[in-house]
Amino acid sequence: SWDSLRISGDGTPTEHQLGVNLLGEAGDISTHLSGGIENQRWEGVLDKLSALETELGDWTLKQAASIHASASEASADAICLQSQPSEICLQGQWSASKGSQGEISISQLKPSRFKAFLPPEIGIDTSIHLHADGKVDGKGRVVADAVIDLSAGQITIAQGEGSQALSIGASKILAQVRNEKLDSSLQLDLGQLGGLQAQLGLNGFSDRGRLSGSITPDFSDLGIIPLLVPQLQDVSGQFNGQLQLGGTLAAPRITGQLDLQNFGAEIPQVAMLLKDTELHVKGDGDSPLQIDGVAHSGDGQLKINGELNPTTRFFNLKIKGEEFVVADSNQLQAVITPDLQVSMNQEGMNVEGKVFIPRAFIDANGGDSGIETVDGSGDVVIVDEDGQRQENTASNNLNLNVE
């Protein structure tokens, strides 16, 4: 929120100055311009621009910038804000007959500036560099280019009294617009975890614009996941594949396959051990994406089959298993045999089926340090001994009907 706005100025049409100060919890923003009008053209100088005590640091104007403006054209020299070691620069021109053009550059921008918006246990040590320029001619035709570079660095995750570090490599995003055509690419290097490459092309920005491109994840060592998700331990496996994009914005076509293979993990809180887990997502371009997978725990297994339509956001999944161990600790032990149907569309989610529990054990005497209790959800339907279901009048987007 802002507490005060102060505007000051004096002078004549041919020689005047203007100052603005905005003060509040978000920071202290100040600017000052001086100039004059001659031959129906304003010429001046921006000699002060600062943003102090902000969540992103203190920023000040690197050097004065000349500004020119008239009824038919306008321009501004590079306006650069500095906050060591970072710098942001903007400049541009406009002409009623020739169109407009502009340029922006960002150098040495540290993610630590955004720590107020990041989880407190995560630190990111890298630098972001951006350069983008574009122009629109007098006929409205667009030409633009952008590049974002992420330098090599590391992600640090605090864990207890210590911390763990995940190295990341140099990454890049490229984008190019030529009138109604977009070409872009992404190269993301997450070090030991793996990487992601993607290309996206679009010919026409309407719903009938033609799509092209691909997405290629290559995460060959998922063993680093516990650094990011400490609830999982002893993680193994790979996630890779490739999807090809086609069709239009209104009706995209996806072909190819993504594979999660040889996945295993332990959930220490309940002593659950996942093993020999696989998940495959396949697309042929004409029908919804097909989902097929299997997971093992204890002597049991779960089989997963379903489909996903990215266009309509319809999702349908069948989960069927037998003797699947979901907990095996000294305090809590449970084995389930589920037969569930899960579906979701734009209106909400529906879960139906049965979950048979052939074996379960809870130690509630002196061993409750690892057991948490929660209130029953309003989505739960309780069936009494006579088979009567208690009506739930709550209005929500989840329909849960599981016996």
Side-chain angles (χ1 to χ4, degrees), residues 102-131:
E103 182 177 342
I104 179 173
S105 62
I106 299 175
S107 61
Q108 293 290 326
L109 184 61
K110 300 292 185 179
S112 57
R113 293 189 180 275
F114 305 95
K115 62 183 179 181
F117 309 99
L118 295 173
E121 68 274 10
I122 293 181
I124 304 176
D125 182 15
T126 182
S127 294
I128 301 170
H129 306 264
L130 176 147
H131 184 270

mmCIF file of all heavy atoms in Angstrom, residues 102-131:
data_model
loop_
_atom_site.group_PDB
_atom_site.id
_atom_site.type_symbol
_atom_site.label_atom_id
_atom_site.label_comp_id
_atom_site.label_asym_id
_atom_site.label_seq_id
_atom_site.Cartn_x
_atom_site.Cartn_y
_atom_site.Cartn_z
ATOM 1 N N GLY A 102 11.624 -0.759 -29.850
ATOM 2 C CA GLY A 102 12.103 -0.658 -28.482
ATOM 3 C C GLY A 102 13.088 -1.755 -28.168
ATOM 4 O O GLY A 102 13.241 -2.738 -28.913
ATOM 5 N N GLU A 103 13.752 -1.596 -27.025
ATOM 6 C CA GLU A 103 14.772 -2.546 -26.617
ATOM 7 C C GLU A 103 14.819 -2.602 -25.095
ATOM 8 O O GLU A 103 14.676 -1.567 -24.421
ATOM 9 C CB GLU A 103 16.135 -2.124 -27.180
ATOM 10 C CG GLU A 103 17.268 -3.062 -26.873
ATOM 11 C CD GLU A 103 18.568 -2.599 -27.523
ATOM 12 O OE1 GLU A 103 18.512 -1.771 -28.465
ATOM 13 O OE2 GLU A 103 19.635 -3.071 -27.082
ATOM 14 N N ILE A 104 14.995 -3.776 -24.539
ATOM 15 C CA ILE A 104 15.153 -3.962 -23.109
ATOM 16 C C ILE A 104 16.290 -4.932 -22.863
ATOM 17 O O ILE A 104 16.452 -5.914 -23.595
ATOM 18 C CB ILE A 104 13.854 -4.464 -22.441
ATOM 19 C CG1 ILE A 104 14.073 -4.681 -20.933
ATOM 20 C CG2 ILE A 104 13.345 -5.742 -23.097
ATOM 21 C CD1 ILE A 104 12.808 -5.019 -20.183
ATOM 22 N N SER A 105 17.083 -4.651 -21.854
ATOM 23 C CA SER A 105 18.165 -5.562 -21.489
ATOM 24 C C SER A 105 18.255 -5.640 -19.972
ATOM 25 O O SER A 105 18.049 -4.654 -19.269
ATOM 26 C CB SER A 105 19.505 -5.101 -22.080
ATOM 27 O OG SER A 105 19.867 -3.832 -21.565
ATOM 28 N N ILE A 106 18.528 -6.833 -19.496
ATOM 29 C CA ILE A 106 18.702 -7.085 -18.068
ATOM 30 C C ILE A 106 19.992 -7.882 -17.915
ATOM 31 O O ILE A 106 20.196 -8.876 -18.600
ATOM 32 C CB ILE A 106 17.524 -7.878 -17.479
ATOM 33 C CG1 ILE A 106 16.215 -7.101 -17.633
ATOM 34 C CG2 ILE A 106 17.770 -8.214 -16.016
ATOM 35 C CD1 ILE A 106 14.992 -7.875 -17.179
ATOM 36 N N SER A 107 20.847 -7.455 -17.007
ATOM 37 C CA SER A 107 22.105 -8.164 -16.795
ATOM 38 C C SER A 107 22.340 -8.407 -15.313
ATOM 39 O O SER A 107 21.956 -7.589 -14.463
ATOM 40 C CB SER A 107 23.277 -7.373 -17.387
ATOM 41 O OG SER A 107 23.402 -6.110 -16.757
ATOM 42 N N GLN A 108 22.938 -9.550 -15.028
ATOM 43 C CA GLN A 108 23.334 -9.924 -13.671
ATOM 44 C C GLN A 108 22.183 -9.819 -12.657
ATOM 45 O O GLN A 108 22.376 -9.380 -11.521
ATOM 46 C CB GLN A 108 24.494 -9.043 -13.206
ATOM 47 C CG GLN A 108 25.801 -9.254 -13.949
ATOM 48 C CD GLN A 108 26.434 -10.611 -13.625
ATOM 49 O OE1 GLN A 108 26.330 -11.107 -12.521
ATOM 50 N NE2 GLN A 108 27.070 -11.205 -14.631
ATOM 51 N N LEU A 109 20.997 -10.251 -13.078
ATOM 52 C CA LEU A 109 19.860 -10.245 -12.162
ATOM 53 C C LEU A 109 19.921 -11.510 -11.307
ATOM 54 O O LEU A 109 19.905 -12.622 -11.827
ATOM 55 C CB LEU A 109 18.548 -10.183 -12.924
ATOM 56 C CG LEU A 109 17.271 -10.075 -12.076
ATOM 57 C CD1 LEU A 109 17.281 -8.803 -11.244
ATOM 58 C CD2 LEU A 109 16.037 -10.135 -12.960
ATOM 59 N N LYS A 110 19.995 -11.329 -10.001
ATOM 60 C CA LYS A 110 20.152 -12.449 -9.081
ATOM 61 C C LYS A 110 18.791 -12.901 -8.548
ATOM 62 O O LYS A 110 18.004 -12.067 -8.071
ATOM 63 C CB LYS A 110 21.049 -12.049 -7.911
ATOM 64 C CG LYS A 110 22.454 -11.624 -8.312
ATOM 65 C CD LYS A 110 23.236 -12.805 -8.857
ATOM 66 C CE LYS A 110 24.676 -12.431 -9.152
ATOM 67 N NZ LYS A 110 25.468 -13.568 -9.656
ATOM 68 N N PRO A 111 18.485 -14.211 -8.601
ATOM 69 C CA PRO A 111 17.230 -14.703 -8.043
ATOM 70 C C PRO A 111 17.072 -14.389 -6.551
ATOM 71 O O PRO A 111 15.964 -14.382 -6.033
ATOM 72 C CB PRO A 111 17.313 -16.221 -8.284
ATOM 73 C CG PRO A 111 18.226 -16.364 -9.450
ATOM 74 C CD PRO A 111 19.235 -15.279 -9.296
ATOM 75 N N SER A 112 18.181 -14.143 -5.858
ATOM 76 C CA SER A 112 18.086 -13.809 -4.436
ATOM 77 C C SER A 112 17.270 -12.552 -4.200
ATOM 78 O O SER A 112 16.760 -12.330 -3.096
ATOM 79 C CB SER A 112 19.493 -13.639 -3.849
ATOM 80 O OG SER A 112 20.227 -12.645 -4.539
ATOM 81 N N ARG A 113 17.119 -11.717 -5.218
ATOM 82 C CA ARG A 113 16.284 -10.520 -5.084
ATOM 83 C C ARG A 113 14.809 -10.883 -4.881
ATOM 84 O O ARG A 113 14.029 -10.088 -4.371
ATOM 85 C CB ARG A 113 16.411 -9.629 -6.317
ATOM 86 C CG ARG A 113 17.769 -9.000 -6.485
ATOM 87 C CD ARG A 113 17.771 -7.961 -7.584
ATOM 88 N NE ARG A 113 19.087 -7.372 -7.731
ATOM 89 C CZ ARG A 113 19.543 -6.358 -7.006
ATOM 90 N NH1 ARG A 113 18.767 -5.821 -6.085
ATOM 91 N NH2 ARG A 113 20.762 -5.888 -7.199
ATOM 92 N N PHE A 114 14.452 -12.102 -5.289
ATOM 93 C CA PHE A 114 13.058 -12.523 -5.182
ATOM 94 C C PHE A 114 12.840 -13.453 -3.987
ATOM 95 O O PHE A 114 11.880 -14.205 -3.947
ATOM 96 C CB PHE A 114 12.636 -13.238 -6.475
ATOM 97 C CG PHE A 114 12.864 -12.425 -7.716
ATOM 98 C CD1 PHE A 114 14.020 -12.578 -8.468
ATOM 99 C CD2 PHE A 114 11.929 -11.489 -8.126
ATOM 100 C CE1 PHE A 114 14.231 -11.835 -9.622
ATOM 101 C CE2 PHE A 114 12.141 -10.737 -9.278
ATOM 102 C CZ PHE A 114 13.287 -10.900 -10.012
ATOM 103 N N LYS A 115 13.740 -13.392 -3.016
ATOM 104 C CA LYS A 115 13.665 -14.317 -1.884
ATOM 105 C C LYS A 115 12.370 -14.156 -1.088
ATOM 106 O O LYS A 115 11.906 -15.113 -0.462
ATOM 107 C CB LYS A 115 14.867 -14.127 -0.963
ATOM 108 C CG LYS A 115 14.989 -12.752 -0.334
ATOM 109 C CD LYS A 115 16.256 -12.667 0.504
ATOM 110 C CE LYS A 115 16.406 -11.276 1.124
ATOM 111 N NZ LYS A 115 17.653 -11.166 1.933
ATOM 112 N N ALA A 116 11.770 -12.973 -1.127
ATOM 113 C CA ALA A 116 10.503 -12.774 -0.420
ATOM 114 C C ALA A 116 9.383 -13.604 -1.034
ATOM 115 O O ALA A 116 8.365 -13.861 -0.374
ATOM 116 C CB ALA A 116 10.121 -11.294 -0.418
ATOM 117 N N PHE A 117 9.565 -14.022 -2.285
ATOM 118 C CA PHE A 117 8.530 -14.777 -2.993
ATOM 119 C C PHE A 117 8.888 -16.264 -3.109
ATOM 120 O O PHE A 117 8.128 -17.028 -3.705
ATOM 121 C CB PHE A 117 8.315 -14.193 -4.389
ATOM 122 C CG PHE A 117 8.086 -12.707 -4.388
ATOM 123 C CD1 PHE A 117 9.114 -11.830 -4.685
ATOM 124 C CD2 PHE A 117 6.844 -12.187 -4.048
ATOM 125 C CE1 PHE A 117 8.915 -10.455 -4.680
ATOM 126 C CE2 PHE A 117 6.630 -10.820 -4.036
ATOM 127 C CZ PHE A 117 7.666 -9.949 -4.350
ATOM 128 N N LEU A 118 10.036 -16.668 -2.573
ATOM 129 C CA LEU A 118 10.493 -18.054 -2.644
ATOM 130 C C LEU A 118 10.351 -18.722 -1.281
ATOM 131 O O LEU A 118 10.372 -18.047 -0.248
ATOM 132 C CB LEU A 118 11.964 -18.105 -3.086
ATOM 133 C CG LEU A 118 12.284 -17.614 -4.498
ATOM 134 C CD1 LEU A 118 13.799 -17.573 -4.698
ATOM 135 C CD2 LEU A 118 11.639 -18.511 -5.542
ATOM 136 N N PRO A 119 10.204 -20.044 -1.267
ATOM 137 C CA PRO A 119 10.202 -20.753 0.017
ATOM 138 C C PRO A 119 11.478 -20.437 0.790
ATOM 139 O O PRO A 119 12.569 -20.390 0.198
ATOM 140 C CB PRO A 119 10.142 -22.223 -0.391
ATOM 141 C CG PRO A 119 9.527 -22.216 -1.758
ATOM 142 C CD PRO A 119 10.000 -20.952 -2.405
ATOM 143 N N PRO A 120 11.393 -20.209 2.100
ATOM 144 C CA PRO A 120 12.573 -19.778 2.863
ATOM 145 C C PRO A 120 13.708 -20.782 2.876
ATOM 146 O O PRO A 120 14.865 -20.406 3.087
ATOM 147 C CB PRO A 120 12.007 -19.558 4.278
ATOM 148 C CG PRO A 120 10.743 -20.358 4.330
ATOM 149 C CD PRO A 120 10.191 -20.331 2.945
ATOM 150 N N GLU A 121 13.410 -22.064 2.648
ATOM 151 C CA GLU A 121 14.459 -23.076 2.700
ATOM 152 C C GLU A 121 15.216 -23.220 1.385
ATOM 153 O O GLU A 121 16.158 -24.004 1.292
ATOM 154 C CB GLU A 121 13.876 -24.437 3.105
ATOM 155 C CG GLU A 121 12.945 -25.071 2.079
ATOM 156 C CD GLU A 121 11.499 -24.601 2.203
ATOM 157 O OE1 GLU A 121 11.252 -23.644 2.967
ATOM 158 O OE2 GLU A 121 10.629 -25.205 1.548
ATOM 159 N N ILE A 122 14.809 -22.489 0.347
ATOM 160 C CA ILE A 122 15.426 -22.636 -0.977
ATOM 161 C C ILE A 122 16.222 -21.386 -1.332
ATOM 162 O O ILE A 122 15.728 -20.258 -1.221
ATOM 163 C CB ILE A 122 14.349 -22.891 -2.054
ATOM 164 C CG1 ILE A 122 13.694 -24.253 -1.827
ATOM 165 C CG2 ILE A 122 14.972 -22.851 -3.448
ATOM 166 C CD1 ILE A 122 12.646 -24.614 -2.844
ATOM 167 N N GLY A 123 17.471 -21.588 -1.743
ATOM 168 C CA GLY A 123 18.310 -20.511 -2.246
ATOM 169 C C GLY A 123 18.789 -20.826 -3.649
ATOM 170 O O GLY A 123 19.147 -21.976 -3.940
ATOM 171 N N ILE A 124 18.792 -19.843 -4.538
ATOM 172 C CA ILE A 124 19.193 -20.048 -5.930
ATOM 173 C C ILE A 124 20.350 -19.115 -6.243
ATOM 174 O O ILE A 124 20.214 -17.890 -6.140
ATOM 175 C CB ILE A 124 18.026 -19.798 -6.904
ATOM 176 C CG1 ILE A 124 16.823 -20.682 -6.551
ATOM 177 C CG2 ILE A 124 18.467 -20.065 -8.340
ATOM 178 C CD1 ILE A 124 15.598 -20.425 -7.402
ATOM 179 N N ASP A 125 21.477 -19.683 -6.592
ATOM 180 C CA ASP A 125 22.674 -18.906 -6.897
ATOM 181 C C ASP A 125 22.970 -19.028 -8.389
ATOM 182 O O ASP A 125 23.557 -20.009 -8.842
ATOM 183 C CB ASP A 125 23.853 -19.408 -6.071
ATOM 184 C CG ASP A 125 25.120 -18.591 -6.323
ATOM 185 O OD1 ASP A 125 25.009 -17.488 -6.900
ATOM 186 O OD2 ASP A 125 26.218 -19.062 -5.959
ATOM 187 N N THR A 126 22.529 -18.040 -9.148
ATOM 188 C CA THR A 126 22.783 -17.974 -10.580
ATOM 189 C C THR A 126 22.569 -16.534 -11.019
ATOM 190 O O THR A 126 22.302 -15.658 -10.189
ATOM 191 C CB THR A 126 21.849 -18.930 -11.351
ATOM 192 O OG1 THR A 126 22.160 -18.884 -12.751
ATOM 193 C CG2 THR A 126 20.399 -18.544 -11.177
ATOM 194 N N SER A 127 22.683 -16.258 -12.295
ATOM 195 C CA SER A 127 22.439 -14.918 -12.835
ATOM 196 C C SER A 127 21.554 -15.017 -14.072
ATOM 197 O O SER A 127 21.730 -15.933 -14.889
ATOM 198 C CB SER A 127 23.755 -14.226 -13.214
ATOM 199 O OG SER A 127 24.539 -13.969 -12.072
ATOM 200 N N ILE A 128 20.639 -14.071 -14.181
ATOM 201 C CA ILE A 128 19.728 -14.026 -15.324
ATOM 202 C C ILE A 128 20.118 -12.857 -16.220
ATOM 203 O O ILE A 128 20.310 -11.732 -15.742
ATOM 204 C CB ILE A 128 18.270 -13.867 -14.847
ATOM 205 C CG1 ILE A 128 17.886 -15.026 -13.928
ATOM 206 C CG2 ILE A 128 17.322 -13.796 -16.043
ATOM 207 C CD1 ILE A 128 16.554 -14.835 -13.233
ATOM 208 N N HIS A 129 20.239 -13.146 -17.500
ATOM 209 C CA HIS A 129 20.542 -12.110 -18.487
ATOM 210 C C HIS A 129 19.466 -12.142 -19.562
ATOM 211 O O HIS A 129 19.116 -13.218 -20.064
ATOM 212 C CB HIS A 129 21.913 -12.353 -19.124
ATOM 213 C CG HIS A 129 23.026 -12.501 -18.144
ATOM 214 N ND1 HIS A 129 23.842 -11.456 -17.775
ATOM 215 C CD2 HIS A 129 23.451 -13.587 -17.444
ATOM 216 C CE1 HIS A 129 24.726 -11.889 -16.889
ATOM 217 N NE2 HIS A 129 24.514 -13.171 -16.675
ATOM 218 N N LEU A 130 18.960 -10.991 -19.925
ATOM 219 C CA LEU A 130 17.893 -10.917 -20.936
ATOM 220 C C LEU A 130 18.185 -9.785 -21.906
ATOM 221 O O LEU A 130 18.625 -8.699 -21.504
ATOM 222 C CB LEU A 130 16.537 -10.707 -20.269
ATOM 223 C CG LEU A 130 15.316 -10.510 -21.188
ATOM 224 C CD1 LEU A 130 14.066 -11.091 -20.563
ATOM 225 C CD2 LEU A 130 15.070 -9.031 -21.520
ATOM 226 N N HIS A 131 17.910 -10.054 -23.172
ATOM 227 C CA HIS A 131 17.938 -8.983 -24.184
ATOM 228 C C HIS A 131 16.785 -9.213 -25.152
ATOM 229 O O HIS A 131 16.610 -10.318 -25.666
ATOM 230 C CB HIS A 131 19.259 -8.960 -24.951
ATOM 231 C CG HIS A 131 19.336 -7.815 -25.921
ATOM 232 N ND1 HIS A 131 18.902 -7.916 -27.225
ATOM 233 C CD2 HIS A 131 19.752 -6.533 -25.753
ATOM 234 C CE1 HIS A 131 19.065 -6.749 -27.833
ATOM 235 N NE2 HIS A 131 19.587 -5.892 -26.962
#
